[in-house]
mmCIF file with all atom_site columns, all heavy atoms in Angstrom:
data_model
loop_
_atom_site.group_PDB
_atom_site.id
_atom_site.type_symbol
_atom_site.label_atom_id
_atom_site.label_alt_id
_atom_site.label_comp_id
_atom_site.label_asym_id
_atom_site.label_entity_id
_atom_site.label_seq_id
_atom_site.pdbx_PDB_ins_code
_atom_site.Cartn_x
_atom_site.Cartn_y
_atom_site.Cartn_z
_atom_site.occupancy
_atom_site.B_iso_or_equiv
_atom_site.pdbx_formal_charge
_atom_site.auth_seq_id
_atom_site.auth_comp_id
_atom_site.auth_asym_id
_atom_site.auth_atom_id
_atom_site.pdbx_PDB_model_num
ATOM   1   N N   . LYS A 1 44  ? -20.404 4.933   15.739 1.00 0.00 ? 44  LYS A N   1
ATOM   2   C CA  . LYS A 1 44  ? -20.601 4.076   14.575 1.00 0.00 ? 44  LYS A CA  1
ATOM   3   C C   . LYS A 1 44  ? -21.260 4.694   13.335 1.00 0.00 ? 44  LYS A C   1
ATOM   4   O O   . LYS A 1 44  ? -21.075 4.486   12.342 1.00 0.00 ? 44  LYS A O   1
ATOM   5   C CB  . LYS A 1 44  ? -21.448 2.750   15.034 1.00 0.00 ? 44  LYS A CB  1
ATOM   6   C CG  . LYS A 1 44  ? -21.331 2.114   16.377 1.00 0.00 ? 44  LYS A CG  1
ATOM   7   C CD  . LYS A 1 44  ? -19.864 1.974   16.874 1.00 0.00 ? 44  LYS A CD  1
ATOM   8   C CE  . LYS A 1 44  ? -19.756 1.670   18.191 1.00 0.00 ? 44  LYS A CE  1
ATOM   9   N NZ  . LYS A 1 44  ? -20.667 0.780   18.846 1.00 0.00 ? 44  LYS A NZ  1
ATOM   10  N N   . ASN A 1 142 ? -10.362 -10.379 17.357 1.00 0.00 ? 142 ASN A N   1
ATOM   11  C CA  . ASN A 1 142 ? -10.365 -11.555 16.367 1.00 0.00 ? 142 ASN A CA  1
ATOM   12  C C   . ASN A 1 142 ? -11.726 -11.810 15.746 1.00 0.00 ? 142 ASN A C   1
ATOM   13  O O   . ASN A 1 142 ? -11.751 -12.135 14.569 1.00 0.00 ? 142 ASN A O   1
ATOM   14  C CB  . ASN A 1 142 ? -9.835  -12.750 17.144 1.00 0.00 ? 142 ASN A CB  1
ATOM   15  C CG  . ASN A 1 142 ? -10.691 -12.966 18.467 1.00 0.00 ? 142 ASN A CG  1
ATOM   16  O OD1 . ASN A 1 142 ? -11.118 -12.095 19.133 1.00 0.00 ? 142 ASN A OD1 1
ATOM   17  N ND2 . ASN A 1 142 ? -10.974 -14.327 18.822 1.00 0.00 ? 142 ASN A ND2 1
ATOM   18  N N   . PHE A 1 143 ? -12.756 -11.454 16.381 1.00 0.00 ? 143 PHE A N   1
ATOM   19  C CA  . PHE A 1 143 ? -14.235 -11.765 15.724 1.00 0.00 ? 143 PHE A CA  1
ATOM   20  C C   . PHE A 1 143 ? -14.260 -10.766 14.595 1.00 0.00 ? 143 PHE A C   1
ATOM   21  O O   . PHE A 1 143 ? -14.882 -11.105 13.585 1.00 0.00 ? 143 PHE A O   1
ATOM   22  C CB  . PHE A 1 143 ? -15.224 -11.358 16.720 1.00 0.00 ? 143 PHE A CB  1
ATOM   23  C CG  . PHE A 1 143 ? -15.273 -12.308 17.990 1.00 0.00 ? 143 PHE A CG  1
ATOM   24  C CD1 . PHE A 1 143 ? -16.098 -11.943 19.137 1.00 0.00 ? 143 PHE A CD1 1
ATOM   25  C CD2 . PHE A 1 143 ? -14.570 -13.424 17.984 1.00 0.00 ? 143 PHE A CD2 1
ATOM   26  C CE1 . PHE A 1 143 ? -16.181 -12.808 20.251 1.00 0.00 ? 143 PHE A CE1 1
ATOM   27  C CE2 . PHE A 1 143 ? -14.502 -14.293 19.235 1.00 0.00 ? 143 PHE A CE2 1
ATOM   28  C CZ  . PHE A 1 143 ? -15.317 -13.898 20.238 1.00 0.00 ? 143 PHE A CZ  1
ATOM   29  N N   . THR A 1 181 ? -21.104 -10.074 19.944 1.00 0.00 ? 181 THR A N   1
ATOM   30  C CA  . THR A 1 181 ? -20.219 -9.068  20.084 1.00 0.00 ? 181 THR A CA  1
ATOM   31  C C   . THR A 1 181 ? -20.931 -7.764  19.297 1.00 0.00 ? 181 THR A C   1
ATOM   32  O O   . THR A 1 181 ? -21.467 -7.786  18.207 1.00 0.00 ? 181 THR A O   1
ATOM   33  C CB  . THR A 1 181 ? -18.875 -9.287  19.232 1.00 0.00 ? 181 THR A CB  1
ATOM   34  O OG1 . THR A 1 181 ? -18.180 -8.028  18.938 1.00 0.00 ? 181 THR A OG1 1
ATOM   35  C CG2 . THR A 1 181 ? -19.084 -10.208 17.989 1.00 0.00 ? 181 THR A CG2 1
ATOM   36  N N   . VAL A 1 182 ? -20.894 -6.677  20.031 1.00 0.00 ? 182 VAL A N   1
ATOM   37  C CA  . VAL A 1 182 ? -21.521 -5.466  19.628 1.00 0.00 ? 182 VAL A CA  1
ATOM   38  C C   . VAL A 1 182 ? -20.768 -4.795  18.288 1.00 0.00 ? 182 VAL A C   1
ATOM   39  O O   . VAL A 1 182 ? -21.372 -4.808  17.198 1.00 0.00 ? 182 VAL A O   1
ATOM   40  C CB  . VAL A 1 182 ? -21.807 -4.461  20.642 1.00 0.00 ? 182 VAL A CB  1
ATOM   41  C CG1 . VAL A 1 182 ? -22.421 -3.126  20.134 1.00 0.00 ? 182 VAL A CG1 1
ATOM   42  C CG2 . VAL A 1 182 ? -22.636 -4.888  21.824 1.00 0.00 ? 182 VAL A CG2 1
ATOM   43  N N   . MET A 1 183 ? -19.606 -4.499  18.588 1.00 0.00 ? 183 MET A N   1
ATOM   44  C CA  . MET A 1 183 ? -18.860 -3.950  17.447 1.00 0.00 ? 183 MET A CA  1
ATOM   45  C C   . MET A 1 183 ? -18.476 -4.938  16.471 1.00 0.00 ? 183 MET A C   1
ATOM   46  O O   . MET A 1 183 ? -18.361 -4.458  15.211 1.00 0.00 ? 183 MET A O   1
ATOM   47  C CB  . MET A 1 183 ? -17.617 -3.093  17.989 1.00 0.00 ? 183 MET A CB  1
ATOM   48  C CG  . MET A 1 183 ? -17.815 -1.861  18.667 1.00 0.00 ? 183 MET A CG  1
ATOM   49  S SD  . MET A 1 183 ? -16.390 -0.747  18.174 1.00 0.00 ? 183 MET A SD  1
ATOM   50  C CE  . MET A 1 183 ? -15.097 -1.469  19.078 1.00 0.00 ? 183 MET A CE  1
ATOM   51  N N   . ASP A 1 327 ? -22.113 -2.004  30.950 1.00 0.00 ? 327 ASP A N   1
ATOM   52  C CA  . ASP A 1 327 ? -21.815 -0.631  31.170 1.00 0.00 ? 327 ASP A CA  1
ATOM   53  C C   . ASP A 1 327 ? -22.629 -0.123  32.441 1.00 0.00 ? 327 ASP A C   1
ATOM   54  O O   . ASP A 1 327 ? -22.246 0.969   32.986 1.00 0.00 ? 327 ASP A O   1
ATOM   55  C CB  . ASP A 1 327 ? -22.205 0.249   29.981 1.00 0.00 ? 327 ASP A CB  1
ATOM   56  C CG  . ASP A 1 327 ? -21.200 -0.062  28.825 1.00 0.00 ? 327 ASP A CG  1
ATOM   57  O OD1 . ASP A 1 327 ? -20.161 -0.757  29.045 1.00 0.00 ? 327 ASP A OD1 1
ATOM   58  O OD2 . ASP A 1 327 ? -21.478 0.319   27.755 1.00 0.00 ? 327 ASP A OD2 1
ATOM   59  N N   . VAL A 1 349 ? -19.759 -10.253 30.875 1.00 0.00 ? 349 VAL A N   1
ATOM   60  C CA  . VAL A 1 349 ? -19.309 -9.806  29.599 1.00 0.00 ? 349 VAL A CA  1
ATOM   61  C C   . VAL A 1 349 ? -17.829 -9.655  29.466 1.00 0.00 ? 349 VAL A C   1
ATOM   62  O O   . VAL A 1 349 ? -17.112 -10.155 28.556 1.00 0.00 ? 349 VAL A O   1
ATOM   63  C CB  . VAL A 1 349 ? -20.089 -8.664  29.111 1.00 0.00 ? 349 VAL A CB  1
ATOM   64  C CG1 . VAL A 1 349 ? -19.629 -8.203  27.790 1.00 0.00 ? 349 VAL A CG1 1
ATOM   65  C CG2 . VAL A 1 349 ? -21.585 -8.838  29.232 1.00 0.00 ? 349 VAL A CG2 1
ATOM   66  N N   . ARG A 1 394 ? -16.844 4.077   32.798 1.00 0.00 ? 394 ARG A N   1
ATOM   67  C CA  . ARG A 1 394 ? -18.054 3.814   33.609 1.00 0.00 ? 394 ARG A CA  1
ATOM   68  C C   . ARG A 1 394 ? -17.688 3.707   35.099 1.00 0.00 ? 394 ARG A C   1
ATOM   69  O O   . ARG A 1 394 ? -18.567 4.078   35.960 1.00 0.00 ? 394 ARG A O   1
ATOM   70  C CB  . ARG A 1 394 ? -18.687 2.523   33.055 1.00 0.00 ? 394 ARG A CB  1
ATOM   71  C CG  . ARG A 1 394 ? -18.916 2.438   31.653 1.00 0.00 ? 394 ARG A CG  1
ATOM   72  C CD  . ARG A 1 394 ? -20.033 3.568   31.203 1.00 0.00 ? 394 ARG A CD  1
ATOM   73  N NE  . ARG A 1 394 ? -20.066 3.623   29.729 1.00 0.00 ? 394 ARG A NE  1
ATOM   74  C CZ  . ARG A 1 394 ? -20.718 4.542   29.062 1.00 0.00 ? 394 ARG A CZ  1
ATOM   75  N NH1 . ARG A 1 394 ? -21.367 5.580   29.711 1.00 0.00 ? 394 ARG A NH1 1
ATOM   76  N NH2 . ARG A 1 394 ? -20.708 4.449   27.813 1.00 0.00 ? 394 ARG A NH2 1
HETATM 77  N N1  . EPU B 2 .   ? -14.653 -10.149 22.172 1.00 0.00 ? 501 EPU B N1  1
HETATM 78  C C1  . EPU B 2 .   ? -13.649 -11.044 21.600 1.00 0.00 ? 501 EPU B C1  1
HETATM 79  N N2  . EPU B 2 .   ? -13.232 -10.861 20.397 1.00 0.00 ? 501 EPU B N2  1
HETATM 80  C C2  . EPU B 2 .   ? -13.645 -9.787  19.629 1.00 0.00 ? 501 EPU B C2  1
HETATM 81  C C3  . EPU B 2 .   ? -14.612 -8.974  20.166 1.00 0.00 ? 501 EPU B C3  1
HETATM 82  C C4  . EPU B 2 .   ? -15.133 -9.152  21.376 1.00 0.00 ? 501 EPU B C4  1
HETATM 83  O O1  . EPU B 2 .   ? -13.193 -11.944 22.300 1.00 0.00 ? 501 EPU B O1  1
HETATM 84  O O2  . EPU B 2 .   ? -13.290 -9.655  18.474 1.00 0.00 ? 501 EPU B O2  1
HETATM 85  C C5  . EPU B 2 .   ? -15.124 -10.461 23.483 1.00 0.00 ? 501 EPU B C5  1
HETATM 86  C C6  . EPU B 2 .   ? -14.918 -9.278  24.319 1.00 0.00 ? 501 EPU B C6  1
HETATM 87  O O3  . EPU B 2 .   ? -13.562 -9.447  25.006 1.00 0.00 ? 501 EPU B O3  1
HETATM 88  C C7  . EPU B 2 .   ? -16.013 -9.366  25.463 1.00 0.00 ? 501 EPU B C7  1
HETATM 89  C C8  . EPU B 2 .   ? -17.235 -9.839  24.546 1.00 0.00 ? 501 EPU B C8  1
HETATM 90  O O4  . EPU B 2 .   ? -16.548 -10.411 23.368 1.00 0.00 ? 501 EPU B O4  1
HETATM 91  O O5  . EPU B 2 .   ? -15.749 -10.280 26.388 1.00 0.00 ? 501 EPU B O5  1
HETATM 92  C C9  . EPU B 2 .   ? -18.295 -8.767  24.144 1.00 0.00 ? 501 EPU B C9  1
HETATM 93  O O6  . EPU B 2 .   ? -17.569 -7.563  23.671 1.00 0.00 ? 501 EPU B O6  1
HETATM 94  P P1  . EPU B 2 .   ? -18.181 -6.698  22.578 1.00 0.00 ? 501 EPU B P1  1
HETATM 95  O O7  . EPU B 2 .   ? -17.564 -7.016  21.210 1.00 0.00 ? 501 EPU B O7  1
HETATM 96  O O8  . EPU B 2 .   ? -19.749 -6.806  22.567 1.00 0.00 ? 501 EPU B O8  1
HETATM 97  O O9  . EPU B 2 .   ? -17.903 -5.272  23.118 1.00 0.00 ? 501 EPU B O9  1
HETATM 98  P P2  . EPU B 2 .   ? -17.428 -4.028  22.237 1.00 0.00 ? 501 EPU B P2  1
HETATM 99  O O10 . EPU B 2 .   ? -18.250 -4.006  20.868 1.00 0.00 ? 501 EPU B O10 1
HETATM 100 O O11 . EPU B 2 .   ? -16.025 -3.897  21.996 1.00 0.00 ? 501 EPU B O11 1
HETATM 101 C C10 . EPU B 2 .   ? -19.251 -2.473  23.042 1.00 0.00 ? 501 EPU B C10 1
HETATM 102 C C11 . EPU B 2 .   ? -19.307 -1.005  23.720 1.00 0.00 ? 501 EPU B C11 1
HETATM 103 C C12 . EPU B 2 .   ? -18.977 -1.161  25.118 1.00 0.00 ? 501 EPU B C12 1
HETATM 104 C C13 . EPU B 2 .   ? -19.850 -2.170  25.810 1.00 0.00 ? 501 EPU B C13 1
HETATM 105 C C14 . EPU B 2 .   ? -19.842 -3.419  24.980 1.00 0.00 ? 501 EPU B C14 1
HETATM 106 C C15 . EPU B 2 .   ? -20.763 -4.446  25.621 1.00 0.00 ? 501 EPU B C15 1
HETATM 107 C C16 . EPU B 2 .   ? -18.794 0.525   21.985 1.00 0.00 ? 501 EPU B C16 1
HETATM 108 C C17 . EPU B 2 .   ? -17.913 1.529   21.381 1.00 0.00 ? 501 EPU B C17 1
HETATM 109 N N3  . EPU B 2 .   ? -18.484 -0.168  23.052 1.00 0.00 ? 501 EPU B N3  1
HETATM 110 O O12 . EPU B 2 .   ? -17.872 -2.839  23.044 1.00 0.00 ? 501 EPU B O12 1
HETATM 111 O O13 . EPU B 2 .   ? -18.994 0.063   25.773 1.00 0.00 ? 501 EPU B O13 1
HETATM 112 O O14 . EPU B 2 .   ? -19.421 -2.358  27.149 1.00 0.00 ? 501 EPU B O14 1
HETATM 113 O O15 . EPU B 2 .   ? -20.174 -3.325  23.692 1.00 0.00 ? 501 EPU B O15 1
HETATM 114 O O16 . EPU B 2 .   ? -22.008 -3.955  25.581 1.00 0.00 ? 501 EPU B O16 1
HETATM 115 O O17 . EPU B 2 .   ? -19.827 0.380   21.470 1.00 0.00 ? 501 EPU B O17 1
HETATM 116 C C18 . EPU B 2 .   ? -18.512 1.891   27.274 1.00 0.00 ? 501 EPU B C18 1
HETATM 117 O O18 . EPU B 2 .   ? -19.255 2.628   26.605 1.00 0.00 ? 501 EPU B O18 1
HETATM 118 O O19 . EPU B 2 .   ? -17.949 2.217   28.289 1.00 0.00 ? 501 EPU B O19 1
HETATM 119 C C19 . EPU B 2 .   ? -18.134 0.581   26.649 1.00 0.00 ? 501 EPU B C19 1
HETATM 120 C C20 . EPU B 2 .   ? -16.984 -0.182  27.125 1.00 0.00 ? 501 EPU B C20 1
#
Side-chain angles (χ1 to χ4, degrees):
K44 321 318 168 38
N142 53 324
F143 300 164
T181 161
V182 175
M183 277 218 293
D327 293 344
V349 180
R394 305 300 172 190

